[in-house]
């Protein structure tokens, strides 16, 4: 969290001292200093200073991420959250009981996912700066020497390289899981939004449509619980180890497709015929 706050403050100050924003804040400060107690001058000065600060804050928000990849991931989730809120407003009239708690859970998971993506962005940026050139190096040494002691030293160096890459992959696991959780949340919101739209236009009197919609809500809750468990683990330790299996609620009610018959079986049936 300290790294995230520091990054937010740094980007905001950079944007604040940009020419136009600094000019607005400066004009506002001058107007306040020369107001002489005049209310219109004080209002004008405060408005100019506030406008400069607001412009700096707005322009700094997209630049908080080091890498545009993680900014795009969060923007995709944030856009789907907006569409989900719009679809939820249309469902308020039907008063579906399980929809009352679901938005709270989604908002909580989204906030936690944002912080996780910010941490993953910081980790990925630091690794790219300090370790990017080293990862491309070969893992083994070619043309080993004939000296026995030199061979032993090279084997020790190989073990060090293997241990280094093992620790590197453990750190990258948190980054990869954060990216995967953003994909899960985005697709969950897309699926749930379409189910809400279908249920709203199908009508509440159709029992089949209602049961399918409730199953979709149950499945979304299970996916959100799985996301929350993974994000909690990423927050507690930089080396995640738990694998959370997300159950598929819709698969329980849908029979699996028939297995295709093999050519050998079909040939045997023709021979018996």
């Amino acid at each position: 969290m300290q790294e995230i706050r520091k990054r937010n403050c740094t980007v905001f100050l950079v944007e604040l001292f940009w020419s136009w924003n600094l000019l607005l804040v400066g004009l506002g400060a001058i107007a306040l200093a020369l107001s002489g107690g005049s209310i219109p001058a004080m209002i004008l000065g405060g408005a100019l200073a506030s406008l400069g600060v607001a412009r700096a804050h707005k322009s700094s928000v997209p630049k908080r991420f080091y890498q545009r990849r993680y900014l795009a991931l969060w923007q995709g989730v944030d856009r789907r959250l907006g569409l989900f809120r719009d679809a939820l407003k249309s469902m308020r009239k039907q008063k579906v009981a399980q929809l009352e708690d679901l938005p709270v859970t989604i908002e909580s998971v989204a906030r936690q996912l944002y912080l996780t993506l910010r941490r993953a962005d910081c980790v990925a940026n630091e690794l790219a700066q300090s370790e990017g050139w080293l990862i491309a190096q070969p893992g083994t040494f070619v043309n080993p020497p004939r000296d026995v002691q030199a061979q032993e030293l090279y084997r020790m160096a190989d073990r060090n390289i293997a241990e280094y890459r093992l620790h590197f992959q453990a750190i990258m696991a948190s980054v990869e899981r954060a990216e995967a959780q953003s994909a899960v949340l985005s697709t969950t919101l897309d699926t749930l939004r379409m189910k809400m739209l279908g249920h709203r236009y199908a009508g509440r009197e159709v029992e089949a449509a209602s049961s399918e919609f409730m199953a979709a809500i149950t499945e979304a809750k299970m996916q959100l619980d799985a996301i929350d468990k993974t994000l909690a683990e990423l927050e507690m330790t930089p080396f995640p180890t738990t694998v959370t299996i997300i159950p598929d609620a819709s698969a329980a009610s849908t029979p699996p497709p028939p297995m295709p018959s093999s050519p050998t079986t079909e040939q045997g049936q023709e021979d018996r015929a």
Side-chain angles (χ1 to χ4, degrees), residues 5-23 25 52-53 55-61 63-64 66:
R5 295 192 189 98
K6 182 179 178 181
R7 174 65 178 176
N8 294 348
C9 183
T10 302
V11 176
F12 172 73
L13 290 178
V14 169
E15 293 297 318
L16 182 62
F17 284 98
W18 186 66
S19 58
W20 288 107
N21 297 330
L22 183 61
L23 178 62
V25 175
V53 173
R55 281 169 52 91
H57 179 269
K58 183 178 180 180
S59 60
S60 69
V61 171
K63 298 179 181 179
R64 291 175 177 176
Y66 289 100

Side-chain angles (χ1 to χ4, degrees), residues 177 181 184 218-230 233 241-249 251:
R177 291 194 180 194
Q181 294 306 324
V184 173
T218 303
E219 183 176 359
K221 284 187 174 181
M222 289 188 295
Q223 293 180 0
L224 291 172
D225 290 340
I227 297 174
D228 190 56
K229 290 178 182 177
T230 306
E233 184 187 10
T241 56
T242 305
V243 178
T244 304
I245 306 299
I246 305 177
D248 189 356

Side-chain angles (χ1 to χ4, degrees), residues 45-261:
L48 289 174
S50 300
L51 180 59
V53 173
R55 281 169 52 91
H57 179 269
K58 183 178 180 180
S59 60
S60 69
V61 171
K63 298 179 181 179
R64 291 175 177 176
F65 288 89
Y66 289 100
Q67 301 184 7
R68 299 186 63 86
R69 169 181 176 80
Y70 297 96
L71 173 62
L73 288 174
W74 170 247
Q75 286 179 340
V77 173
D78 189 48
R79 178 174 176 79
R80 287 171 172 84
L81 281 173
L83 295 174
F84 174 78
R85 296 186 188 104
D86 294 339
L88 188 64
K89 291 178 182 179
S90 302
M91 288 288 296
R92 294 294 186 185
K93 297 180 180 179
Q94 298 193 11
K95 296 182 180 179
V96 181
Q98 296 190 32
L99 274 179
E100 299 299 327
D101 298 331
L102 188 61
V104 179
T105 304
I106 289 178
E107 296 290 345
S108 175
V109 171
R111 287 192 298 269
Q112 192 175 359
L113 178 62
Y114 173 76
L115 296 177
T116 303
L117 285 176
R118 291 292 307 278
R119 287 193 295 268
D121 176 57
C122 294
V123 172
N125 179 71
E126 187 171 351
L127 287 176
Q129 290 181 353
S130 63
E131 311 297 327
W133 65 275
L134 191 57
I135 296 302
Q137 299 298 318
T140 57
F141 295 96
V142 296
N143 299 326
R146 296 181 180 180
D147 181 69
V148 178
Q149 183 60 44
Q151 292 177 4
E152 180 62 26
L153 291 174
Y154 275 122
R155 280 195 293 268
M156 185 180 298
D158 286 338
R159 288 195 298 269
N160 290 337
I161 291 176
E163 185 177 359
Y164 166 83
R165 292 192 171 182
L166 184 63
H167 285 289
F168 179 84
Q169 292 172 1
I171 296 176
M172 284 300 298
S174 62
V175 177
E176 294 171 352
R177 291 194 180 194
E179 297 176 2
Q181 294 306 324
S182 66
V184 173
L185 182 57
S186 296
T187 52
T188 300
L189 290 174
D190 287 339
T191 303
L192 186 59
R193 191 177 65 254
M194 286 297 100
K195 290 287 186 179
M196 291 168 62
L197 184 64
H199 178 73
R200 186 159 60 92
Y201 283 102
R204 295 183 62 184
E205 68 278 6
V206 182
E207 184 178 356
S210 298
S211 62
E212 291 177 1
F213 180 64
M214 302 307 284
I217 295 179
T218 303
E219 183 176 359
K221 284 187 174 181
M222 289 188 295
Q223 293 180 0
L224 291 172
D225 290 340
I227 297 174
D228 190 56
K229 290 178 182 177
T230 306
L231 294 178
E233 184 187 10
L234 292 177
E235 185 176 1
M236 290 186 297
T237 172
F239 306 107
T241 56
T242 305
V243 178
T244 304
I245 306 299
I246 305 177
D248 189 356
S250 60
S253 58
T254 305
M259 294 293 293
S261 56

